[in-house]
Amino acid sequence: MTVTVSEAASRAARVLSRPAVINGLTVPNRIAMAPMTRQFSPGGVPGEDVVSYYSRRAAAGVGLIVTEGTYVGHPSAGQSDRVPRFHGEEQLAGWTKVAEAVHAAGGTIMPQLWHIGTVRRPGEPPFPDAPVLGPSGLRTDGTEGGRAMTRRDIDEVIGAFAEAAAAAERIGFDGVELHGAHGYLIDQFLWAGTNRRTDAYGGDPVARTKFAAEVVAAVREAVSPGFPVVFRYSQWKQDAYGARLAETPQELEAVLAPLAAAGVDAFHASTRRYWLPEFEGADLNLAGWTRKLTGRPTLTVGSVGLDDGDFTRTFRGEGAGVSSLDNLLDRMERDEFDIVAVGRALLQDPHWAAKVLEGRFDELRSYDASALTFLS
């Protein structure tokens, strides 16, 4: 049967315009902006250009904005003085303006709270004298890249996440996302390749979740009961795209269950290609399995709306063409996942969500890697 343009438009609007609920937050539709590091915040302070960048997308129909990764208040958390920070009077004042502008435009917003662990190099800003820390002092390639965290280090980092979450609620954000993906600090504890500890924070998959679960629990305690806590995780790492936390659904459940029990309200399952099945024997992607195993709402992500299936081409200066959303809509109609996070397509075009929700597919634009060089 031939599907007309008007029928396709009606279907997209019907599927994506439904509200979604995460704990006490109602997101007005099923489209989220994925977190993407931009480095346009000198001194770690988001300015008026960052305010406009996010509010433009909320005004054009994005239901939930997850901000770029923003460093928690621990000196070893980051590696750039142009990445925003979520601590400090001036920094939080800038974020307050961002949240207010997004709300005025009709959207909801969460900061992504971030500590990069051993991805950091010695002497890097914003605090050059800070040590490089990780669960075992190892980088994702297995080389030494810092020192193993002491119990005091662990407590201080957990406290920094909790303080940032409390600040987010205080200044008007709608929830927080904890960055537990892509080989950064929380993920370094989760993955056997970077966690060789022999204390309570290392060992089997459940033991390796202890740090992440304590971060979640501390954040949960620091905010009100209805304030959403989202946890982003991935199988792949920055330098190890084939890395996996779990080879089977049972192994994945062992990782996710302690996090859900600690207070995660929704999981953001980061993949490079959202349409790929995660395990043999079923078509479910990582977000689909996460929803099935935990019962929590999930966000999916990975080359949504683009035809290349590999965001890493962006870093080689390569673009990507527009692709059909039919597969995405099929999966959402089956309730495989709850919200779709859009990255490069929305980076390229602030009006992507409005065009999709209104059926203006002919106006969608190909992705050009030059979009990384400015805030549109």
Side-chain angles (χ1 to χ4, degrees):
M1 181 178 67
T2 302
V3 178
T4 66
V5 173
S6 60
E7 288 171 334
S10 176
R11 181 189 184 211
R14 182 181 71 254
V15 173
L16 296 173
S17 293
R18 299 170 297 161
V21 176
I22 304 175
N23 196 348
L25 173 67
T26 298
V27 180
N29 61 46
R30 301 300 176 107
I31 299 175
M33 181 178 183
M36 292 173 282
T37 299
R38 301 308 314 275
Q39 299 202 59
F40 283 91
S41 298
V45 180
E48 291 301 327
D49 54 347
V50 177
V51 173
S52 298
Y53 168 72
Y54 287 118
S55 62
R56 267 194 296 274
R57 285 154 177 83
V62 175
L64 171 64
I65 288 171
V66 182
T67 74
E68 62 206 284
T70 177
Y71 301 145
V72 297
H74 185 271
S76 297
Q79 64 181 165
S80 170
D81 199 38
R82 294 184 59 83
V83 166
R85 305 200 287 271
F86 216 83
H87 61 97
E89 184 176 351
E90 191 176 2
Q91 288 80 6
L92 292 178
W95 280 120
T96 300
K97 293 179 181 179
V98 172
E100 290 172 348
V102 167
H103 290 154
T108 61
I109 184 168
M110 300 180 181
Q112 187 188 71
L113 305 181
W114 193 21
H115 191 302
I116 71 171
T118 56
V119 173
R120 172 182 167 80
R121 301 282 176 172
E124 286 185 317
F127 302 106
D129 294 334
V132 176
L133 302 177
S136 302
L138 298 175
R139 303 189 188 281
T140 53
D141 63 2
T143 62
E144 292 187 8
R147 66 170 172 82
M149 293 171 70
T150 64
R151 181 65 215 220
R152 179 176 179 178
D153 294 326
I154 288 172
D155 289 344
E156 288 176 349
V157 171
I158 290 172
F161 273 98
E163 289 171 11
E169 184 172 27
R170 184 176 69 250
I171 66 177
F173 279 77
D174 299 296
V176 293
E177 177 172 284
L178 308 178
H179 197 339
H182 307 163
Y184 295 113
L185 181 65
I186 294 176
D187 194 24
Q188 289 163 19
F189 274 89
L190 294 175
W191 188 44
T194 43
N195 185 345
R196 309 286 177 80
R197 298 178 73 99
T198 57
D199 62 2
Y201 291 92
D204 65 25
V206 174
R208 295 197 303 271
T209 68
K210 181 175 173 61
F211 175 75
E214 289 186 354
V215 171
V216 171
V219 166
R220 181 78 275 160
E221 180 68 23
V223 298
S224 62
F227 192 71
V229 176
V230 177
F231 189 90
R232 194 179 210 212
Y233 82 100
S234 66
Q235 299 260 41
W236 64 273
K237 320 302 169 199
Q238 277 191 68
D239 302 322
Y241 291 117
R244 297 176 71 80
L245 295 178
E247 296 291 348
T248 66
Q250 293 74 26
E251 290 179 1
L252 183 61
E253 185 173 20
V255 174
L256 299 179
L259 302 178
V264 170
D265 296 303
F267 287 94
H268 188 170
S270 179
T271 57
R272 298 165 68 197
R273 306 168 181 88
Y274 79 86
W275 56 86
L276 294 181
E278 192 59 36
F279 303 112
E280 292 184 3
D283 290 334
L284 294 176
N285 71 3
L286 187 61
W289 274 110
T290 300
R291 191 178 194 270
K292 180 177 181 178
L293 294 170
T294 68
R296 299 291 196 272
T298 59
L299 291 78
T300 195
V301 69
S303 301
V304 173
L306 300 178
D307 64 5
D308 67 338
D310 189 354
F311 73 91
T312 61
R313 291 173 54 183
T314 291
F315 306 120
R316 300 194 296 269
E318 300 176 22
V322 174
S323 71
S324 168
L325 297 177
D326 288 346
N327 182 279
L328 175 73
L329 298 177
D330 289 345
R331 291 169 179 267
M332 296 201 79
E333 285 182 326
R334 297 195 298 265
D335 292 324
E336 182 174 338
F337 37 75
D338 300 272
I339 294 174
V340 55
V342 183
R344 288 172 294 158
L346 198 51
L347 179 65
Q348 176 71 44
D349 185 357
H351 302 284
W352 186 91
K355 291 175 181 178
V356 169
L357 292 169
E358 295 167 9
R360 295 185 282 135
F361 301 121
D362 59 331
E363 297 180 27
L364 296 176
R365 293 154 48 185
S366 298
Y367 172 74
D368 189 313
S370 65
L372 289 175
T373 64
F374 57 92
L375 289 179
S376 64

